[in-house]
Amino acid sequence: MSQLAYLAPSSPEEAAKALAASGARPLSGGTDLLVQLRSGRTSPSLIVDLKRIAGAVGIREEAGGFVIGASTSGAVLGEHAGLLRAWPGVVEGANLIGSTQVQGRASLAGNLCNASPAADGVPALVAARATCVIVGPNGRREAPVESIPAGPGKTSLAPGEFILEFRLPARPPRASDAYLRLTPRTEMDIAVAGAGVNLVLHEDGTVAEAHVALGAVAPTVLHVEAAGAALVGTRLEDEALAALAAAAQAACKPISDKRGTAEYRTRIAGVLARRAAVIAYQRAGGQR
Amino acid sequence: MSETLERPAAKADLQVVGTRPIRPDGADKVTGRAAYGADFNMPGQLVGKVLRSPHAHARIVSIDASKAKALPGAKAVVTAADFPDLASEVLEGGEQASNLRDLSLNVMARGKALYHGHAVAAVAAISSEVADEALSRIKVTYEVLPHVTEVEAAMAPDAPLLHDHLFTEGLEARPDKPSNVARRHRNLRGDPEAAFADADVVVEGRYVTPPVHQGYIEPQACVAAWAEDGRCDVWSSSQGQFMVRTYCAKVLGVEISDIRVTPAEIGGGFGGKTTVYLEPLALALSRASGHPVKMVMTREEVFRATGPTSGSVMNVRFGAKKDGTITAAEVELKFQAGAFPGSPVGAACMTALACYDVPNFLITGYDVVNNTPKVAAYRAPGAPIAAFAVESAIDDLARALSMDPIALREKNAVRDGTKASYGPTYQNIGYVETLAAIRDSEHYKAPLGPNQGRGVAVGFWFNVGGESTAAVNIAEDGSAVVVTGNPDIGGSRASMAMMAAETLGIPVERVRPMVADTASIGYSMLTGGSRTTFATGMAVVQAAEKVIADLKARAAKLWDVPADQVEWRGGEAICLDPKADKKPLTLETLAAQSARTGGPIAAQVSINAQGAGPGFGVHLCDVEVDPETGQVSVVRYTAAQDVGRAIHPSYVEGQVQGGVAQGVGWALNEEYIFDAQGQMENPGFLDYRMPVASDLPMLDAILVEVPNPRHPYGAKGVGEVPIVPPLAAVANALRGATGVRIPALPLSPPKVLAALDGAKAG
Ligand SMILES: Cc1cc2nc3c(=O)[nH]c(=O)nc-3n(C[C@H](O)[C@H](O)[C@H](O)COP(=O)(O)OP(=O)(O)OC[C@H]3O[C@@H](n4cnc5c(N)ncnc54)[C@H](O)[C@@H]3O)c2cc1C
C-alpha cells in the first residue's frame, strides 16, 4: 500500500531537487491534484508544495509588465486593480475557475499544468503572449505559455521542472483583452469551448495587433494566427468578425464526447471568438 | 376524545400555525453540529466496501474470495451465499410497494449481474486501503451477456431477457413467453376513437425523457453492529428507520424487533432513500466479522447503483371542440424500471389526466426492465414524466385553438364533484383557485424581452396518509417533548412542534420535537408520499388532545368539579362553573403537581391517517434562449400551489422552490449518458449537471389555501406536487421563445441549437 510524503521547500532550487525524484508532484492550490489523489487517478509518493517559495505567490509590476507568481490564487488575481486594468481577460479567465471556494486556491500554473484542453485560465494567457519562467534541475528557462501543454494531461516540462512565475508584457495604450467560455451551467462546469482575444488598437480605432486563442477545441490550447490576422486593420466590422469566426472554426480539431459534439464545439468557438473580440475592442476604447 | 376542535380550525383562531418561527433543527444544521449518516462512528469499527459488476449484464460463473480472506486486516467477505434466497413477496413500504426477492437481489447479485455497478461482493477491513486491496483480490468470473438500455429496445421481441421468470402481467391472456415488460397498465373511459373522429382539432406528439437521479447531497451511509446474542443496531441516513428495520430483517431473515435502527440526520432523499442498499451488507459483514462495520457510498457509487427515476418514451394525443372542450385523450407511457420491475408508470398513468375532465380516454402504461440500476422513488414518482408529455400536448392544443393556455385549462378543469381519471370523486380540491392565482398574477401580464418565451404547466399528486405514531410528553416544568418516527427531510420537526404548540396553547419554543429510533416509538411509515405533516401531524395533534383531556381531568380533580366543567384554553385549564370561583391552572402548574394527580403527563397515539387531500400546482416560467448557442436560461418563475393550509409557510415555500429547482434541472441539463457497454459515462456532479444556485432566478411561490377538512389544521401534502409541472413549463416557455417544439429532454444547448437549425431549414 502506498505512502505519501509532503514537503514545502522555501527555495526554488530545493523544490527542483525534490521534484526530480520519481513519483514527486508539484502542488499549488491542489484543486486538481487533491481531487485526483482522492479518486485514485494519481498516486504520487511525494507532494512538493510550491507556495512557500519566494515569488511563487503574489503579483509584481516589472518594466511596465506584470510578473504573476505561478501559484497565486484566482481570488488574489481578481483583487489586483492594476492587473485587472491591463489584462481583464486574463483575470476573467482565471476567475471563471470553479466557485468562490475554489477561487481561494486555484492557480494559473495548476490550471496550465493539469493540461486539460478546457482549462479556462489558459486561452487568455496565450492570447496575451504570456511566457512562463521554468525552474528545473538545470536552472531557469523561459518559454511561451502555449508550449507547456502537450496533450490532455501531459506537459512538455522535463522531470523536476516546475513553473515559478508568469510574465505578461508591458501594455501600450488602447489595448485590452477578453475571455468567454460556454458551459451548460453558470458555474462549476467544464468549458465546451472557450475563446481569449487580445487586441491593440491604432489611434483611429483600427486594430493594430490581434491574438486569438481557443480552448476545448483541440488536444491543447490553440493560438489561431489566421483569426487574429482577420481583425488587423479592421474596426471589427461584421465582415471582419465573420472572417474571424470562420478562421477560428477552421482551426478547431475537437473531439465528440459527453461534454459536446465536435460540430457543436466548433460552431461555438466561432461565436465565442466573435463575442470576445467585441468585448476586448470595447474595453480597448474602440467604437463599432 | 372529549375535546371538540373545529376541523379545520378557523385561520383567525390560530396562534402558531401559519407563523414562521425558527426551525428547531436550524442551528445544528447551519453550525455543522447535525450528525448525518457518515458522522457516526463506533469503537473498533471496520470499513465496509462493495465490489461492483463491471458489466451491464453478465452471468456470475464463480466468485473466489480466498485471496481476499487471506489478506491481513481483511475481516470478512460476503456474497449472495451469505443471504437467504428469498421467495417473491410484495412488501408495502410507503411511497411504492417493493418485492422482497427483488430487493434482496438488488442489494447483492445472485447468479446474474443486471447492471454496471450491481453489488456482487462486499468486504470489511481495518482500513479503507485494506478494504480496497481486499476487493481487488476477489476473483469473479463473468460470462458477459448482451445488455439492453433503452426502453423501446428492451420491449422488442428479440431483446436480451433480464429475467427468465418474468411474464407480462395485465394482459387479457397470460403470455406464453417471458419478456422484459413486467406489466401493462390500462385505463379506458368512454369511446376515445369515436370522440377523436368527431373532434375539430387533434394534436399529438411523441416525447422522450432520460433517467434522472434524485441528487441528494448526502450519499448513503450507515454503521451496523451485530451482537453475539443476535440483536443488532443500525445507524443510518434514510427516509424511514422502520423501513430500514423491516427490509434488513427480511433480507437477512431475522426477527424484526431484534434490529434497532437509529435515524441519522438526513442530507436529502427526495424518494431515493425509501429503500436499502448498504444496511443489509453492513449487518452481514458485522455478523461475519464480529465488529461494527461502517459503509459510506462514494458519489460514483450513488450514481452507478442507487435508484434514478425512469427514462421514458411517451405518445400523447388530444382531441377537442373548437370552443376548447377536450373530448378525447390517448396516453401511452413506456417506462424503464431498471433491473427489476417497479417503475412508477402506474402512478404516471393515474396522474397523467388527473387535472382534466375528459369524457373519453385511453391510458396505457408499460413497466419495462432493462440493464440499468433499479429505479427508486423520486418526488411524485412518475407524475413529472407524464406531465411533461401531457402538458406539452395541451400547450400545443392551446396554440392550435388560439386559446390562452390557462383559459384552456380552466375550461377543462377538474372541480369538486368531478370523477378523477383514476377513479375517485374529487372533494375540497383547490385546482381552479390555483389556476386563478397564476392567471391574476403580475407575472402573467408582464411583458417579455427579446428571445424570451413564457410557458404554463400544471401538475397533480395524490398525497397519502397512512400509519404514524406520535408521543407528547410533558416535562415537570410544563415544556413538552414531541416524539415521532419520521426523519425530518423538509422541515417536519418545525411543523410537528407548531401543531403541538397550537393544540396545547403554549409557545412553540416550549416544544422540543424529536425523531426517535425504532425501539423508542411505535411504528411509522417512512417520510414520503408527502405524508408526514398530514399523517404524523394528525397523530401529534391527537396525542396533544389526549394530554389535554388528561390535564382537564386533573384540574377537575384538584378543583373537585365535574370534568365537563373544565375547558382548556390558551394553555390553561379554566373552570366553567362561576360558583366554584377557581383561578385558571396553567400547564406549568399542573405539570409541577403531576405526581399528586396521577403521575407523569404523557400520551402516545398510533393511527392510520385517512383523508389526505390531493394537491395541484400551476407553474409559470419565462426562459431566454441564446439563438447562437442554444443555451436556455430560466429568467423568471412563479409557482402556485394549493397547500391546504401552510403550517410553516417558509418551509412550504421551500418545498415549492426545491421542487422547481429539481424540475428545471431535469428539463435543461440532467441525463444519464451510457456508453455502448451500458456503463454510465457521467457518474459525478461535474458531468451530471444539476442546477447550481446561480442557474436559477428567485423562484416565487404563491400558496393557495383551500383547507383540507380531514386534517385538524387543514394541511395537505406539499412536497411532491412542485416537481410535477416544471419540465413542461420550461419546455413550453422554450416553445414560446423559439417557435419550435422540442419533445425530448434535456433541453441542452446542442439539442436546442440543432432544433433551431432544423426550423430555419424549414
Ligand atoms: C469544484 C471545481 C471546479 C472547477 N472548475 C473549473 C473551471 O471552471 N475551469 C477550469 O479550468 N478548471 C476548473 N477546475 C479545475 C482546477 O480548479 C483548475 O485547473 C485550477 O486552476 C488548478 O489549480 P491548482 O493551483 O489548484 O492546481 P493543483 O491541483 O495544485 O495542480 C494541478 C496540476 O498542476 C501541477 N502543478 C501545480 N502547480 C504547478 C507548477 N507551479 N508547476 C508545474 N506544475 C504544477 C500539479 O502537479 C498538478 O498536476 C475546477 C476544480 C474543482 C475542484
Side-chain angles (χ1 to χ4, degrees), chain B residues 638-708:
Chain B
T638 305
Q641 186 173 321
D642 170 26
V643 300
R645 186 172 286 140
I647 305 300
H648 192 307
S650 298
Y651 305 146
V652 174
E653 287 157 7
Q655 288 293 313
V656 174
Q657 291 163 328
V660 172
Q662 287 184 310
V664 168
W666 197 338
L668 290 182
N669 283 309
E670 291 179 39
E671 64 182 319
Y672 277 48
I673 304 170
F674 292 100
D675 68 11
Q677 283 71 47
Q679 172 174 345
M680 186 185 183
E681 285 193 83
N682 54 336
F685 283 142
L686 187 53
D687 289 302
Y688 181 87
R689 295 187 169 97
M690 298 189 73
V692 297
S694 53
D695 288 331
L696 296 163
M698 182 62 194
L699 304 170
D700 294 314
I702 301 176
L703 306 185
V704 177
E705 296 194 315
V706 177
N708 177 7

Side-chain angles (χ1 to χ4, degrees), chain A residues 25-33 35 50 96-98 102 105-107 109-111 113-114 119-120 157 162-163 181 188-189:
Chain A
R25 287 285 290 280
L27 170 86
S28 288
T31 61
D32 278 316
L33 190 60
V35 175
L50 306 174
L96 274 172
I97 296 168
V102 172
R105 290 269 162 191
S107 70
N111 198 230
C113 297
N114 185 55
D120 282 310
L157 295 175
F162 68 94
I163 300 175
R181 67 165 183 187
M188 303 298 281
D189 213 336

Side-chain angles (χ1 to χ4, degrees), chain A residues 176-276:
Chain A
S176 199
D177 66 342
Y179 174 74
L180 285 179
R181 67 165 183 187
L182 183 129
T183 54
R185 283 187 296 213
T186 45
E187 56 182 351
M188 303 298 281
D189 213 336
I190 292 192
V192 171
V197 176
N198 171 25
L199 300 177
V200 181
L201 311 186
H202 290 297
E203 228 165 301
D204 67 356
T206 56
V207 174
E209 194 185 328
H211 298 282
V212 177
L214 303 177
V217 290
T220 61
V221 61
L222 296 177
H223 178 219
V224 189
E225 293 185 23
L231 297 179
V232 173
T234 76
R235 285 191 179 79
L236 266 58
E237 296 84 359
D238 289 349
E239 312 79 73
L241 289 173
L244 158 74
Q249 286 165 339
C252 294
K253 305 180 285 262
I255 53 161
S256 285
D257 69 359
K258 62 192 172 193
R259 292 176 184 144
T261 62
E263 190 196 354
Y264 185 73
R265 286 181 194 276
T266 303
R267 185 150 159 201
I268 295 308
V271 173
L272 295 177
R274 188 156 43 73
R275 291 181 179 177

Side-chain angles (χ1 to χ4, degrees), chain B residues 423-485:
Chain B
T425 299
Y426 288 122
Q427 279 166 14
N428 309 110
I429 62 171
Y431 177 42
V432 290
E433 291 83 346
T434 309
L435 280 167
I438 288 294
R439 190 225 304 131
D440 298 340
S441 67
E442 186 270 322
H443 181 179
Y444 199 55
K445 299 170 194 110
L448 287 166
N451 297 316
Q452 293 185 354
R454 178 165 294 157
V456 172
V458 303
F460 161 90
W461 187 247
F462 315 92
N463 301 322
V464 301
E467 296 168 84
S468 279
T469 303
V472 173
N473 302 328
I474 306 296
E476 306 91 288
D477 62 359
S479 62
V481 178
V482 171
V483 189
T484 72

Side-chain angles (χ1 to χ4, degrees), chain B residues 33 73 115 163 197 223 286 293 300 314 360 368 384 457 464 472 482 509 513 535-536 551 637 700 719 742:
Chain B
R33 187 176 173 277
Y115 52 93
H163 306 284
V223 176
S286 178
V293 173
E300 185 173 333
M314 301 175 281
N360 307 287
V368 184
V464 301
V472 173
V482 171
E509 293 74 21
T536 307
L551 290 166
Y637 204 106
D700 294 314
I742 307 177

